[in-house]
Amino acid sequence: MGHSISIADDSSALLRVLDDLAYVIECASLDYMGEGKYELDRLCRRIEADPRYRIADGDGVAERLREALSLYARGGRDYPQGHSRLMSTSRELWKRMHPQPLS
């Protein structure tokens, strides 16, 4: 998984995705999994179809988020793996916002 910024990344779209993803992570951390799964599915659909959410490798990002959704659908014992997918995707997207290391 590459971490370099692409000229196709629009910072406004990337911030929309990150904001929605932060809400999903918040739901997961509070164990509001019904709301979290709903919002995660909604975010995936937005990345796939809404021009305001168009980011570089949007299909790949949506695929990783759908993997998390699938893990959540299996039940509690798979939640940690789903959480891990969300967090790694969030870190990858934040690195796109800051392509140069912050010192």
Side-chain angles (χ1 to χ4, degrees):
M1 158 179 358
H3 296 295
S4 61
I5 193 163
S6 164
I7 57 172
D9 274 319
D10 168 37
S11 61
S12 295
L14 202 47
L15 284 173
R16 279 186 197 91
V17 171
L18 283 163
D19 186 53
D20 287 6
L21 183 54
Y23 181 68
V24 171
I25 292 169
E26 185 179 326
C27 288
S29 72
L30 295 170
D31 203 24
Y32 296 157
M33 295 312 296
E35 177 78 4
K37 288 185 278 189
Y38 170 81
E39 290 297 331
L40 185 52
D41 179 61
R42 184 175 169 197
L43 174 57
C44 290
R45 285 185 279 116
R46 285 177 167 169
I47 292 170
E48 293 163 345
D50 188 333
R52 297 173 306 143
Y53 283 74
R54 186 162 296 133
I55 58 172
D57 188 32
D59 290 339
V61 171
E63 181 180 326
R64 288 190 297 283
L65 295 176
R66 287 209 180 275
E67 288 172 6
L69 189 57
S70 176
L71 288 162
Y72 289 145
R74 292 184 198 169
R77 81 175 200 287
D78 289 319
Y79 282 4
Q81 290 178 355
H83 297 337
S84 178
R85 291 280 196 309
L86 293 183
M87 297 308 298
S88 65
T89 303
S90 177
R91 282 191 305 275
E92 174 203 337
L93 295 176
W94 275 111
K95 286 179 182 179
R96 292 185 193 185
M97 288 298 297
H98 303 286
Q100 303 301 318
L102 299 175
S103 303

